[in-house]
């Protein structure tokens, strides 16, 4: 197993913070700091991202591997059960951790998880195409090209063109993480009904409607789960608006 980079701060009940694709615990530090006012926050770089890069060729990483990694980290840190808080694909991993290792999770807050298996066929097809484009870019142009292809597939060409030189360099450095998450593989929708802890799926009012579709589907399949709409927020709100997102998380957890 790759030793995962993690950052720990605060005191109180434990929170596990999981980042999105093309991101890391570093980008979530402002959010973690706000949560650490009342919780012990463990921010983890998932395998292939941030400080948890792996040796050898970059390949997609299945959810099962992420679950095994996180179980080992929580054991090392002597934490658990934790409130699993995840942004985008980090939210998918949080949900899967709760369904397959319920002993480790006390609650889940997932912000706009792209949980493809519960989406419409058109949305699933679109997500699969982003994965194919990302892997094709890796094969043709390397990891930097894979990262840009993933971002373009998710956010559109205009978002890539609008990147400043420093932001573009940061995205390009996240190519291994883009490849790791490209196929969104290993999610188990049949296990959603086994989740027994409180679950909230949150979406931003200014985000793509596909996240609302997925959130409603998840809320209908996870016992007792609900869907919270946060007015005016976009997909990157956990990074760009940590104050508002932290307020929503704290309101849920307390």
């Amino acid at each position: 197993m790759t030793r995962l980079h993690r950052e720990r701060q605060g005191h109180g009940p434990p929170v596990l913070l999981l980042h999105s694709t093309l991101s890391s615990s570093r980008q979530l530090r402002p959010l973690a700091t706000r949560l650490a006012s009342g919780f012990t926050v463990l921010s983890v770089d998932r395998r292939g991202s941030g400080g948890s890069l792996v040796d050898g060729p970059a390949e997609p990483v299945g959810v099962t591997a992420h679950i095994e990694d996180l179980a080992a980290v929580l054991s090392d840190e002597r934490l658990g059960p934790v409130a699993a808080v995840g942004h985008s694909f980090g939210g998918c991993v949080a949900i899967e951790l709760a369904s397959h290792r319920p002993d480790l999770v006390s609650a889940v807050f997932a912000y706009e998880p792209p949980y493809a298996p519960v989406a419409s066929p058109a949305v699933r097809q679109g997500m699969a195409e982003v994965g194919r484009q990302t892997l094709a870019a890796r094969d043709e142009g390397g990891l930097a090209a894979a990262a840009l292809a993933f971002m373009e597939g998710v956010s559109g060409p205009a978002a890539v063109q609008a990147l400043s030189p420093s932001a573009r360099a940061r995205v390009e450095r996240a190519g291994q993480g883009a490849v790791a998450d490209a196929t969104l593989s290993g999610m188990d929708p049949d296990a959603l009904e086994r989740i027994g802890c409180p679950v909230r799926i949150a979406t931003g009012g200014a985000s793509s409607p596909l996240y609302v579709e997925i959130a409603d589907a998840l809320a209908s399949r996870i016992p007792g789960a609900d869907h919270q709409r946060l007015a005016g927020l976009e997909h990157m709100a956990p990074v760009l608006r940590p104050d508002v997102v932290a307020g929503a998380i704290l309101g849920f957890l307390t």
Side-chain angles (χ1 to χ4, degrees):
M1 185 200 79
T2 299
R3 177 170 173 78
L4 301 190
H5 174 78
R6 76 289 302 259
E7 300 180 1
R8 180 168 174 166
Q9 60 178 303
H11 300 281
V15 169
L16 174 66
L17 190 57
L18 300 172
H19 61 83
S20 66
T21 307
L22 300 181
S23 188
S24 68
S25 59
R26 181 175 183 176
Q27 279 200 304
L28 290 181
R29 280 176 186 165
L31 177 59
T33 298
R34 286 162 172 81
L35 297 177
S37 62
F39 294 86
T40 297
V41 181
L42 183 68
S43 304
V44 177
D45 288 351
R46 294 184 288 104
R47 186 188 300 206
S49 296
S52 299
L53 301 182
V54 298
D55 295 329
E59 297 292 345
V61 177
V63 169
T64 299
H66 287 305
I67 292 172
E68 292 173 351
D69 287 346
L70 293 172
V73 167
L74 293 176
S75 177
D76 287 345
E77 295 287 333
R78 300 180 183 273
L79 291 177
V82 298
V85 175
H87 174 206
S88 195
F89 190 62
C92 295
V93 175
I95 291 168
E96 289 293 298
L97 185 65
S99 65
H100 290 278
R101 289 298 308 269
D103 56 310
L104 297 179
V105 181
S106 61
V108 173
F109 184 100
Y111 185 83
E112 298 197 343
Y115 199 96
V118 303
S120 66
V123 170
R124 291 200 303 272
Q125 182 177 359
M127 290 181 177
E129 181 58 27
V130 171
R132 286 191 290 270
Q133 292 172 356
T134 300
L135 297 182
R138 173 204 60 184
D139 295 340
E140 296 173 8
L143 293 180
L148 294 173
F150 183 91
M151 183 175 181
E152 181 172 329
V154 171
S155 302
V160 175
Q161 294 168 4
L163 291 171
S164 67
S166 60
R168 185 184 180 96
R170 181 191 62 77
V171 171
E172 290 178 340
R173 289 194 297 271
Q176 192 176 113
V179 171
D181 296 350
T183 58
L184 302 173
S185 61
M187 288 182 278
D188 183 7
D190 293 334
L192 294 175
E193 64 183 20
R194 298 204 300 260
I195 297 177
C197 64
V199 175
R200 175 160 293 168
I201 313 298
T203 58
S207 291
S208 168
L210 72 88
Y211 295 112
V212 174
E213 172 193 322
I214 291 172
D216 285 339
L218 286 170
S220 70
R221 298 182 67 159
I222 299 172
D226 64 23
H227 173 197
Q228 181 182 22
R229 300 295 305 277
L230 300 175
L233 297 189
E234 298 182 350
H235 187 63
M236 291 304 295
V239 175
L240 301 176
R241 295 293 306 278
D243 51 341
V244 178
V245 176
I249 296 168
L250 292 171
F252 171 63
L253 295 181
T254 58

